Amino acid sequence: MYLIVNIIGLVVFLSLGVLFSKNRQQIKWKSVGIMVVFNLVLAWFLTSFPIGRSIVAGASAGFNQLVQVAYQGIAFALADWVDVKSMNFVTSSLLPILMIIPLFDILTYVGILPWIIKWIGRGLSKLTGQPKFESFFAVEMMFLGNTEALAVSSLQLQQMKAERNLTLAMMSMSCVTASIIGAYTSLMPGQFILTAIPINVINAIIITNMLNPVTVTPEEDTIATMTGSGSSASAQDVGSGSETLAEATIAEDEVPTREPFFSFLGDSILNAGKLVLIITANVIAFVALAALVDKLLGIINPWLTLEHILGIVMFPFAWLTGLNVHDAFEFAQYMGTKLVTNEFVVMGKVTGTINQFAPHYKAVLTVFLTSFANFSTVGMIIGCFKGLVNRQKNDVVAKNVGYLLLSGILVSLVSAATVGLFVW
């Protein structure tokens, strides 16, 4: 019975994308069908076959090893934070970011990560039939995160029409950052975290194609990149076998020089430190504010809490992922908490008990949490666009806050329902 409900739920979640579409006539149904089938096969492979499970288990172990190496650096400076029976949230999950972000930045500096992103994006474009940059961006944000991927795509954003900018903003709601995966896997089942990441990439393309279908001409379907570390600017036709320069390029005297490596590394470490402080501040502030709201609601009725209210609102969607009523109500509260605060707040609540959950519940909860889809992310995205594009394009994004939230929620629900089909 619950499997049938899960299947119905997946259909309902996808149907909501059609229902709220800005232009149903322009939806590329063939492309959507191909991506849905591909995602189902991918989820089946990663969760149901020994080789698929071995791949995600190996990747999870790799990230956990990175975290263990990071602990050595933390222990050197803060031994009494590491050599304890139970490390606190900041030490166990956030301080490893100080090593992992610079590692990924080094891979970017030497050109390895951009090369991986480009070729995966190229293959994804051919598979999905979607515009080249949208496919490129889907992979890019998986490694770099939303604001980082948008920042390095500023040249492209300035050249693209406003409707495509909105598509990228909506996709940005469903990303994660590769450098933070180690923090996730230290709190939640790593195999489902790593399964969710590629599933989210495809679903972000599916949902945005439904909600905001945009016609892109061959002339518009190019990728503008800043090669090297600012050595030149060009538009690359990643759909063909060669790369062609666009007519408009940055003049020689306007091209910045490549930043020295150790200066670049120093900036990366400082940015990692800022990110740790930002996440810590957000978690503390949001948990405290949620507690304050609960206190105020308790004056009206002791039963009234933010989690109970959100649990009621989100319950139908939670139940449609194939859970029993008790688990669905609890899941709905976690869903609402994640949207109001962030995924780390919920992960911190369940990390000690999640391995006791039923396999299906464990899978759908972990997959749903594996994204940055929440209210605070909307503000980050709008703020990022404001600094990257002109006012007219930024206004298009700012006027569609509801679509940004809807996109993030639907991608998380579709991903959870997709993976949940194969885990019982």
Side-chain angles (χ1 to χ4, degrees):
M1 171 189 170
Y2 292 121
L3 175 59
I4 295 173
V5 173
N6 196 153
I7 294 170
I8 294 172
L10 181 57
V11 174
V12 169
F13 301 148
L14 291 170
S15 299
L16 288 173
V18 179
L19 178 64
F20 289 98
S21 175
K22 288 177 172 289
N23 191 338
R24 297 187 189 95
Q25 286 70 34
Q26 287 192 21
I27 295 176
K28 299 177 181 178
W29 293 108
K30 179 181 178 182
S31 175
V32 169
I34 291 171
M35 288 186 285
V36 169
V37 171
F38 176 77
N39 242 5
L40 289 169
V41 172
L42 181 61
W44 182 40
F45 172 74
L46 293 177
T47 59
S48 303
F49 287 87
I51 185 173
R53 291 194 296 267
S54 296
I55 290 171
V56 293
S60 177
F63 277 105
N64 285 332
Q65 285 298 315
L66 280 179
V67 172
Q68 293 302 318
V69 172
Y71 286 155
Q72 296 181 30
I74 300 168
F76 178 79
L78 303 164
D80 55 335
W81 287 24
V82 176
D83 300 326
V84 293
K85 184 176 180 180
S86 178
M87 286 185 283
N88 61 46
F89 170 75
V90 172
T91 306
S92 64
S93 301
L94 299 185
L95 291 184
I97 291 173
L98 294 172
M99 185 205 77
I100 298 173
I101 283 183
L103 172 62
F104 276 86
D105 283 347
I106 290 170
L107 293 176
T108 300
Y109 186 90
V110 300
I112 295 174
L113 192 57
W115 183 86
I116 293 172
I117 291 171
K118 183 180 77 171
W119 282 98
I120 295 178
R122 181 179 294 187
L124 192 59
S125 175
K126 289 184 179 295
L127 171 70
T128 64
Q130 292 298 300
K132 300 182 184 72
F133 185 75
E134 279 76 346
S135 299
F136 177 89
F137 184 80
V139 179
E140 190 174 43
M141 70 179 186
M142 177 175 71
F143 287 96
L144 302 180
N146 45 25
T147 54
E148 294 88 345
L150 289 169
V152 300
S153 304
S154 57
L155 185 63
Q156 182 81 32
L157 297 176
Q158 293 159 16
Q159 294 180 2
M160 288 166 53
K161 54 190 177 185
E163 293 77 13
R164 291 182 73 189
N165 276 207
L166 176 58
T167 293
L168 299 183
M170 291 164 63
M171 292 173 68
S172 297
M173 291 294 296
S174 303
C175 77
V176 296
T177 306
S179 56
I180 214 169
I181 294 174
Y184 283 173
T185 57
S186 69
L187 294 168
M188 304 291 283
Q191 69 271 32
F192 297 129
I193 294 285
L194 293 162
T195 299
I197 292 169
I199 300 296
N200 277 345
V201 168
I202 303 297
N203 281 331
I205 300 175
I206 292 172
I207 295 301
T208 54
N209 182 62
M210 289 179 169
L211 292 176
N212 186 48
V214 179
T215 300
V216 179
T217 65
E219 293 75 22
E220 296 173 313
D221 196 11
T222 56
I223 292 181
T225 63
M226 196 70 73
T227 58
S229 290
S231 58
S232 65
S234 66
Q236 298 177 351
D237 181 3
V238 299
S240 65
S242 61
E243 299 176 350
T244 58
L245 291 175
E247 292 180 3
T249 58
I250 295 177
E252 285 293 327
D253 57 354
E254 296 177 358
V255 176
T257 58
R258 187 179 179 87
E259 185 178 8
F261 174 76
F262 287 103
S263 173
F264 170 86
L265 182 60
D267 288 342
S268 174
I269 294 170
L270 287 175
N271 288 334
K274 291 176 184 177
L275 182 59
V276 171
L277 291 175
I278 289 169
I279 295 174
T280 303
N282 271 275
V283 170
I284 293 171
F286 277 120
V287 170
L289 288 171
L292 175 61
V293 172
D294 285 345
K295 279 280 188 183
L296 296 174
L297 291 172
I299 297 173
I300 302 171
N301 188 310
W303 182 87
L304 280 178
T305 65
L306 195 60
E307 288 187 351
H308 284 156
I309 294 171
L310 291 170
I312 293 171
V313 174
M314 302 300 293
F315 173 76
F317 305 103
W319 183 75
L320 284 170
T321 61
L323 297 173
N324 61 49
V325 173
H326 176 271
D327 288 346
F329 185 72
E330 185 178 63
F331 181 32
Q333 294 178 43
Y334 291 144
M335 291 165 67
T337 301
K338 187 233 180 181
L339 295 174
V340 174
T341 57
N342 59 49
E343 69 280 7
F344 278 108
V345 174
V346 182
M347 288 180 179
K349 285 185 176 183
V350 303
T351 185
T353 58
I354 191 167
N355 287 325
Q356 300 169 19
F357 292 2
H360 181 73
Y361 184 18
K362 187 192 304 184
V364 296
L365 174 60
T366 303
V367 172
F368 185 88
L369 294 178
T370 308
S371 78
F372 292 165
N374 56 57
F375 290 107
S376 61
T377 297
V378 173
M380 292 171 60
I381 292 171
I382 292 175
C384 190
F385 269 92
K386 191 168 186 177
L388 295 175
V389 298
N390 61 37
R391 182 171 181 177
Q392 182 263 332
K393 291 180 178 179
N394 181 68
D395 285 349
V396 170
V397 175
K399 289 176 181 177
N400 285 275
V401 168
Y403 271 90
L404 266 65
L405 285 170
L406 180 61
S407 172
I409 293 169
L410 285 181
V411 170
S412 294
L413 286 171
V414 172
S415 294
T418 299
V419 174
L421 284 173
F422 307 104
V423 182
W424 296 94

